Amino acid sequence: MTARSATDGLELLELGHDDRGPAPPEGRERGDLRPPRIPQHAYLTGLVLALAGILMFFLALVSAFVVRKGLGGDWAATPVPGILWFNTAILVISSVTLERARRGLTAADDSGFRAWWGVTTALGVAFLAGQIVAWRQLAEAGVFLATNPSSSFFYVLTGAHGLHLLGGVLALAVVGLRGDPPEARLPRSTAARVAGVYWHFMGLLWVCVFLLLLLGQ
Amino acid sequence: MATEAHPAVHHAPQGFWRKYIFSTDHKVIGIQYYLLALVAVFVGMFLSLLMRFHLAWPTEEVPFFGAMTPEQYLALMTMHGTIMVFFVLTTAPQSGFGNYFLPIQIGAADMAFPVLNMLSFWLTFVAFLVLLAAFFVTGGAPISGWTGYAPLSALGEIAGPGLGLGQTLWVVSLAIFSGASLMGALNFITTTLDLRTRGMSLLRMPLTVWAWFITAILALLAFAVLLAAGLLLLLDRHAGTSFFIPGGLVVSDKQIPHTGGSPLLWQHLFWFFGHPEVYIAILPGMGVVSHILSCFSRKPIFGYKAMVLAMSAIAFLGLMVWGHHMFMSGMSPYSAFAFSLLTMSIGVPSAIKTFNWLGTLWGGRIQFTTAMLFATGFVSLFVTGGLSGIFLAQPTVDIYLHDTYFVVAHFHIIMGVAAIFGIFAGTYFWFPKMFGRFLNEGIGKVHFWLTFVGVYAIFMPMHFIALAGHPRRYADNTAVSFLEPMASVHYFMTIAAFITIGAQLLFLFNFFWGLWKGSKAEEINPWHATTLEWTVPSPPPHDNFAGHVPAVYRGPYEYSVPGAEKDFTPQHLPEPQAAAGDD
Amino acid sequence: MANNQCSRGSALVAAIFALLLVVLTFSTIYFFAARTWWFPESITSLGQAIDAQFVRTLWITGVVFLLAQLALAYVLLRFYDRGGRAHYSHGNTTMEILWTAATAILFVGLGIAAESAWAAYHSQPASPNPIVVRVVAQQFQWNFHYSGPDGRFGRTAPELVDDGLGNFVGLDRSDPAAVDDLVTPIMAAPVGREVVLDLMSKDVTHSLFIRELRFKQDAVPGLVIRLRFTAVKVGDYEIACAELCGLGHHRMRSVLKVLSPEEYEAWLVEQAVE
């Protein structure tokens, strides 16, 4: 008599994935010290989860912003430096160039990929430089971290975003410089895809922060 | 759902450092977390012993300590809570056992991101050192409780001893811990979603895996908020901002130049993290208890799907009830009522789990191994601790009971006992798999009986003195007159604490004796259990399944299947072998 | 199907466990029922509603506690391993639905029953002639600020606070309205008359707790929180702090003196003289 499990027929509830990623290279040596391969989509899963955590972090800051502003009293809006418009444009364009670079990968156009990927990285650096300029301008106008609550949030939100974007720039640099080692656990196509999703998220996050600073103060 | 075919067998890393210290093997990392929690729990218990001695004999010098000032008591109390909640209850059940057994139980060779996993552990270790450093700096450890309410925690040394560098170290430690937890959570969730072996659908996963998975989701959402709160607190303390510090304060006759911040904002941010945190502390224990009750009743878990739904409901609702820590804080009474109803409704899935544990035992063939004793004890304690929550969940009743020993009783019974029982149950159950030797069952049983009686003796009286209005966090109970009749109860609780903590030395001895001299586990499946960890050697090889991809054919708790030859049908056996009782 | 290294379900272990559960259950119930340690008598009418809700909750949780612990004891006694096979079952959906529904009705119902007392606590209709007291908490004492016969509170400002000189609330003595203000370390109130408390804090969060009033409210810096009570019995009632506020948290005590109207007037005069 066969055992009947409560879960018979419930395979529909499995999370099915077809993507198994590139097959392990032939002739792989015994005694391989590196951890075993995982399905390529797992890297994307991990990144999306990291983004969920990062989103919660920023949501906490934004809700603190809303509450603090609502307390009334000493809240005085911090003027948004004009260069932020320019920085925003740079970041949005960098998302476009990133996708253009990735198209180079699928088309097996290695130099095309490298070129556009380099442009994206440079735009990221330019964004960060632009943010520092914005901070300098505020400091010159006498607006510092503790000047008033809205300026505190200005610096905290832009600073936190900037730090995360710096991480993104470093990731872009690593992906760009690393090339595509044939035996890598994490092939370049996956790395570029994952770094791309992170980059786009940071761009979107910036747009939201920018809108909050423009309209929410 | 299949992983890729594993390449040829991985040889384990050679050399002491790569093997035992900077290992990326989830099993080594699991043990590292467990040992960290073991050190932390004895530090935490020592602190509580000092506190309890002082409460029973307020005018005497405390042994190993000396005369205890109120600020020293409060510093011990703050560090006791912080160490226990973070470095024991968030560490051992989830990062310890979860790291070790989640991959094996789903048929994976390791966690999805082993290097990140190693980094998580070492960051947690650093966080622990940073926290302990608070004891040794000028001013000592902070005195603001594990909840670190602002403005007390934000004003610095002027508001009290330990609130200078000690408080800063506390915040930094928790920030590092949060980062490490986020990384760990990410690893657990990815692994569960993407690395399950053939046949391991979500509804064939052991309830331990479900518990670790759901807990990791909570951790991902909650610790991010703690990190944000900690950042803002550090800025208030050191950069002159006023997120939490209102204007117009006068502390010890000194005007404080901050303006307009909100102490309630800290409470909202902290408890948005803090409430899910306590579910993070208990959910893995619930998974372990289900796992063990089923095994030693020789019966499938009663209502597997309901158990999954109940844990999910507890986690989901747990994100929405943080305001019940703030009923008396000055929040809107309407919000309080909403939080109250949501909190009361968490009682429903909790009750479902209790019914189902009883239903698992019902009709079973109960075998009283030490692991089973602790799992059963968990059920009793969960009922007791959970029911006291019903009082606190109602603002009307909480008016009186808030910030009294009723709260202390409630969270100690649930976290400080039931969750600990989950850790003990898991230890006695999995020790043979992890180390190839058994813990001594005789000593284990003495450990259980002494502890079970002891914890009730310590914490039940706290409910009673609370009815008489005994506030909590009092360094000294001789100033307020109405506390005088309760001194004898403190004395009783202290004696009970001495005995109970003493009994834990038995566990410590058993643990280390077992590592070296425990009787060898010759069978790889000594408990005749059904899940995948019992199909691999003890301890398992570096890549768990020696290069082959396990497959799973049925649910995780097929015990006493009618018609099967043995009273357990492991998950990994295909049909003909299962019916024939092959092993 | 012997398991090595573990003792089989034994009647003795089951019996001891069950006995311990029974002893625990009944001793706990005893101490609650006998009220060995209990609330002091309530001195407000609102207190009755709060106490009633507590007792209602105690009954319900008490019955659940009794049934659950005894059920656990019972299954251990009845189903310890005596050989034979366990009963194979994955559960019973009907029972699941039934006990889930029952629990939901019970717990949520209890929560809703608590609502009216909570609403009353926060929305008592204002009486026409209350005594208004400003409660200013600080590390580590309570300050009670009365407006005096003119019924107007004098101006206060943080920069005027001087603990050393005894001006704990920063009263501006040059303000004519402040001339008759009283700031005392203990609170007094006439019996039967409504008292309005405006709770404030100078430094960190404290909490005003008076057991017999069934009153507890955090005093949060930056906020003024208003609550009311009417005490119906004369007596001295101890005040304690119920929110960790620093090293003196445990000694931040005071007294509420509920007095007859004549004694209350006499007390005000006496305080004004000091």
Side-chain angles (χ1 to χ4, degrees):
Chain A
M1 186 172 134
T2 55
R4 280 181 57 244
S5 154
T7 54
D8 277 354
L10 285 166
E11 287 78 7
L12 291 168
L13 289 162
E14 283 188 39
L15 286 187
H17 293 282
D18 288 316
D19 167 333
R20 289 196 170 82
E26 293 295 318
R28 190 160 179 179
E29 295 294 301
R30 274 188 167 262
D32 190 333
L33 288 180
R34 285 165 298 178
R37 288 284 202 94
I38 60 174
Q40 293 304 295
H41 62 260
Y43 291 102
L44 194 61
T45 308
L47 180 81
V48 168
L49 293 169
L51 293 180
I54 293 172
L55 181 64
M56 285 305 291
F57 176 79
F58 279 92
L59 281 177
L61 292 178
V62 167
S63 56
F65 177 103
V66 170
V67 168
R68 186 65 176 82
K69 178 182 176 208
L71 291 175
D74 58 340
W75 183 275
T78 296
V80 172
I83 192 174
L84 288 191
W85 287 96
F86 181 65
N87 296 347
T88 308
I90 291 181
L91 204 55
V92 170
I93 293 171
S94 73
S95 276
V96 175
T97 58
L98 188 147
E99 284 305 311
R100 176 68 185 79
R102 283 191 60 225
R103 243 181 291 140
L105 275 186
T106 31
D109 173 12
D110 187 74
S111 56
F113 165 76
R114 285 175 180 281
W116 284 105
W117 196 260
V119 167
T120 308
T121 313
L123 287 175
V125 173
F127 173 87
L128 288 173
Q131 296 291 82
I132 293 176
V133 167
W135 282 20
R136 285 266 186 83
Q137 289 179 347
L138 280 178
E140 263 151 47
V143 179
F144 301 93
L145 176 61
T147 306
N148 75 63
S150 75
S151 74
S152 303
F153 277 104
F154 185 99
Y155 280 101
V156 167
L157 285 167
T158 54
H161 174 267
L163 265 175
H164 284 86
L165 197 85
L166 179 63
V169 167
L170 292 172
L172 291 183
V174 166
V175 170
L177 295 171
R178 178 180 169 251
D180 195 8
E183 304 241 334
R185 190 172 182 245
L186 175 59
R188 185 167 63 175
S189 55
T190 308
R193 183 170 177 219
V194 166
V197 171
Y198 182 85
W199 193 257
H200 297 322
F201 180 86
M202 282 302 139
L204 190 58
L205 182 64
W206 169 251
V207 169
C208 294
V209 168
F210 187 44
L211 283 174
L212 179 70
L213 294 173
L214 272 180
L215 306 172
Q217 292 194 72
Chain B
M1 170 67 221
T3 58
E4 303 185 326
H6 300 296
V9 172
H10 288 272
H11 286 258
Q14 306 302 311
F16 176 80
W17 287 94
R18 283 304 312 271
K19 217 169 151 189
Y20 296 116
I21 309 295
F22 295 110
S23 169
T24 58
D25 183 331
H26 68 100
K27 298 184 288 299
V28 174
I29 294 171
I31 293 175
Q32 288 174 323
Y33 270 114
Y34 186 93
L35 290 177
L36 175 65
L38 195 60
V39 170
V41 79
F42 276 91
V43 172
M45 281 197 294
F46 177 65
L47 299 180
S48 72
L49 259 188
L50 296 174
M51 289 160 62
R52 277 254 53 101
F53 189 101
H54 177 70
L55 289 176
W57 296 283
T59 51
E60 301 294 315
E61 287 201 3
V62 180
F64 303 109
F65 191 87
M68 193 183 286
T69 62
E71 55 269 32
Q72 285 170 329
Y73 177 91
L74 293 175
L76 294 176
M77 179 200 83
T78 301
M79 297 294 274
H80 166 82
T82 309
I83 290 173
M84 292 302 211
V85 171
F86 291 99
F87 294 97
V88 180
L89 295 175
T90 312
T91 298
Q94 177 77 353
S95 310
F97 287 128
N99 255 310
Y100 200 109
F101 287 103
L102 193 155
I104 307 180
Q105 286 189 337
I106 62 171
D110 205 312
M111 286 283 186
F113 308 116
V115 175
L116 190 69
N117 208 11
M118 177 181 72
L119 188 59
S120 305
F121 170 71
W122 285 109
L123 278 179
T124 307
F125 181 77
V126 167
F128 190 53
L129 294 181
V130 169
L131 182 69
L132 290 180
F135 276 126
F136 302 105
V137 299
T138 327
I143 62 171
S144 48
W146 89 281
T147 50
Y149 275 17
L152 185 62
S153 62
L155 288 170
E157 198 77 37
I158 189 177
L163 297 175
L165 183 53
Q167 184 79 70
T168 298
L169 288 172
W170 181 89
V171 181
V172 170
S173 166
L174 293 193
I176 299 173
F177 186 94
S178 299
S181 292
L182 290 170
M183 291 193 256
L186 192 162
N187 230 333
F188 274 51
I189 299 171
T190 307
T191 306
T192 310
L193 288 176
D194 290 344
L195 264 59
R196 282 171 287 126
T197 192
R198 272 187 312 204
M200 180 63 76
S201 63
L202 286 175
L203 290 183
R204 284 180 179 169
M205 299 195 308
L207 287 173
T208 39
V209 176
W210 270 110
W212 292 318
F213 175 63
I214 293 170
T215 301
I217 294 174
L218 273 183
L220 185 68
L221 299 176
F223 275 101
V225 175
L226 180 66
L227 194 54
L231 170 67
L232 298 183
L233 183 60
L234 278 177
L235 291 176
D236 267 12
R237 290 173 57 76
H238 298 289
T241 54
S242 301
F243 295 108
F244 308 122
I245 306 176
L249 296 190
V250 184
V251 184
S252 294
D253 256 347
K254 289 218 191 59
Q255 311 279 324
I256 304 294
H258 291 262
T259 56
S262 166
L264 287 184
L265 178 60
W266 167 264
Q267 289 187 42
H268 279 293
L269 288 172
F270 179 82
W271 285 117
F272 185 89
F273 151 76
H275 195 81
E277 165 68 352
V278 310
Y279 289 113
I280 289 169
I282 195 71
L283 277 168
M286 291 177 167
V288 166
V289 165
S290 298
H291 198 73
I292 291 177
L293 283 183
S294 175
C295 177
F296 292 114
S297 306
R298 314 311 289 163
K299 268 189 76 191
I301 194 77
F302 187 101
Y304 172 95
K305 264 179 283 168
M307 288 303 227
V308 172
L309 281 173
M311 285 196 287
S312 308
I314 289 171
F316 179 69
L317 289 170
L319 285 163
M320 303 199 286
V321 297
W322 77 90
H324 69 229
H325 299 271
M326 298 168 59
F327 286 147
M328 267 52 258
S329 65
M331 70 187 303
S332 140
Y334 299 102
S335 312
F337 181 59
F339 278 120
S340 170
L341 280 187
L342 284 164
T343 308
M344 295 295 272
S345 49
I346 293 196
V348 179
S350 308
I352 292 175
K353 293 195 79 70
T354 310
F355 290 129
N356 287 14
W357 286 322
L358 291 172
T360 304
L361 292 165
W362 181 281
R365 230 182 76 227
I366 301 173
Q367 300 171 337
F368 290 109
T369 58
T370 310
M372 183 58 161
L373 289 173
F374 276 104
T376 312
F378 178 102
V379 178
S380 168
L381 289 156
F382 182 70
V383 167
T384 309
L387 287 176
S388 60
I390 305 280
F391 291 85
L392 299 170
Q394 305 171 57
T396 318
V397 179
D398 191 54
I399 294 173
Y400 191 93
L401 297 176
H402 170 69
D403 235 82
T404 63
Y405 266 88
F406 206 90
V407 183
V408 181
H410 170 68
F411 66 69
H412 272 98
I413 292 182
I414 282 272
M415 291 203 298
V417 193
I420 296 281
F421 270 45
I423 299 174
F424 284 140
T427 308
Y428 285 98
F429 187 65
W430 279 316
F431 193 92
K433 181 54 59 190
M434 293 164 77
F435 302 111
R437 293 175 183 273
F438 287 96
L439 288 173
N440 182 290
E441 281 283 309
I443 300 177
K445 284 174 177 128
V446 176
H447 172 222
F448 169 74
W449 294 115
L450 283 176
T451 309
F452 187 65
V453 174
V455 294
Y456 270 116
I458 301 171
F459 296 112
M460 280 318 264
M462 288 188 182
H463 298 96
F464 306 134
I465 60 177
L467 299 190
H470 197 315
R472 64 181 286 211
R473 293 176 159 171
Y474 271 26
D476 188 309
N477 298 316
T478 58
V480 170
S481 317
F482 67 70
L483 297 180
E484 207 251 305
M486 306 181 229
S488 56
V489 182
H490 277 289
Y491 182 79
F492 175 84
M493 295 192 291
T494 296
I495 302 295
F498 282 168
I499 298 174
T500 312
I501 292 181
Q504 307 319 304
L505 294 174
L506 285 175
F507 172 77
L508 197 63
F509 169 77
N510 201 356
F511 188 89
F512 286 102
W513 176 265
L515 285 179
W516 272 277
K517 295 278 209 253
S519 59
K520 287 230 168 140
E522 303 294 353
E523 287 180 67
I524 68 169
N525 188 3
W527 309 124
H528 295 188
T530 52
T531 44
L532 287 180
E533 76 268 31
W534 302 106
T535 66
V536 295
S538 309
H542 174 57
D543 67 345
N544 299 335
F545 295 95
H548 91 273
V549 177
V552 157
Y553 297 89
R554 64 186 58 76
Y557 299 117
E558 295 302 298
Y559 292 100
S560 302
V561 178
E565 178 159 328
K566 297 202 174 159
D567 74 343
F568 67 106
T569 310
Q571 283 193 282
H572 73 291
L573 290 184
E575 268 315 310
Q577 289 160 269
D582 286 357
D583 222 318
Chain C
M1 239 134 292
N3 286 341
N4 301 332
Q5 299 296 332
C6 73
S7 68
R8 283 206 250 149
S10 78
L12 184 62
V13 172
I16 294 175
F17 210 138
L19 182 66
L20 279 179
L21 288 171
V22 167
V23 167
L24 151 81
T25 305
F26 286 106
S27 56
T28 303
I29 291 179
Y30 167 77
F31 283 113
F32 276 110
R35 304 190 170 185
T36 318
W37 295 273
W38 198 250
F39 304 88
E41 187 194 353
S42 128
I43 61 166
T44 63
S45 53
L46 190 58
Q48 329 290 22
I50 292 175
D51 289 356
Q53 183 63 17
F54 177 83
V55 169
R56 206 172 287 134
T57 307
L58 187 62
W59 269 103
I60 292 178
T61 52
V63 168
V64 172
F65 178 70
L66 178 82
L67 292 177
Q69 304 287 2
L70 291 188
L72 184 61
Y74 177 74
V75 292
L76 294 176
L77 276 177
R78 175 135 173 233
F79 295 107
Y80 68 83
D81 186 3
R82 301 172 181 79
R85 274 263 176 153
H87 169 68
Y88 179 82
S89 160
H90 279 278
N92 182 326
T93 314
T94 313
M95 297 223 61
E96 297 266 29
I97 295 175
L98 279 177
W99 60 49
T100 305
T103 315
I105 293 169
L106 194 64
F107 288 162
V108 178
L110 196 57
I112 294 176
E115 198 270 332
S116 60
W118 178 244
Y121 184 74
H122 278 277
S123 62
Q124 293 174 70
S127 89
N129 190 19
I131 312 261
V132 181
V133 183
R134 290 188 182 167
V135 182
V136 180
Q138 71 177 77
Q139 289 178 326
F140 297 102
Q141 67 189 52
W142 295 98
N143 305 297
F144 301 97
H145 182 183
Y146 289 80
S147 59
D150 69 351
R152 284 159 42 217
F153 284 95
R155 186 180 89 90
T156 56
E159 44 295 0
L160 298 175
V161 167
D162 191 337
D163 285 2
L165 291 178
N167 188 355
F168 297 108
V169 305
L171 196 58
D172 180 0
R173 288 286 179 194
S174 69
D175 180 3
V179 168
D180 61 348
D181 283 21
L182 273 180
V183 180
T184 62
I186 63 173
M187 177 162 50
V191 68
R193 190 143 154 232
E194 183 180 88
V195 176
V196 170
L197 295 180
D198 282 335
L199 277 114
M200 300 168 241
S201 169
K202 279 163 69 176
D203 41 33
V204 299
T205 306
H206 303 267
S207 191
L208 187 72
F209 177 36
I210 309 172
R211 301 184 305 157
E212 292 83 353
L213 288 181
R214 305 295 188 259
F215 185 100
K216 183 176 289 146
Q217 177 57 54
D218 285 5
V220 181
L223 296 180
V224 178
I225 299 173
R226 170 167 284 209
L227 282 173
R228 311 157 184 276
F229 70 86
T230 307
V232 302
K233 190 167 172 193
V234 161
D236 282 359
Y237 307 106
E238 200 163 14
I239 295 173
C241 181
E243 184 58 56
L244 177 60
C245 54
L247 63 84
H249 171 53
H250 65 282
R251 55 176 167 82
M252 201 170 141
R253 65 176 293 280
S254 179
V255 152
L256 164 66
K257 300 177 85 70
V258 179
L259 304 164
S260 71
E262 305 78 39
E263 283 174 322
Y264 173 70
E265 294 304 324
W267 179 83
L268 284 176
V269 169
E270 200 186 302
Q271 298 300 315
V273 165
E274 283 163 19

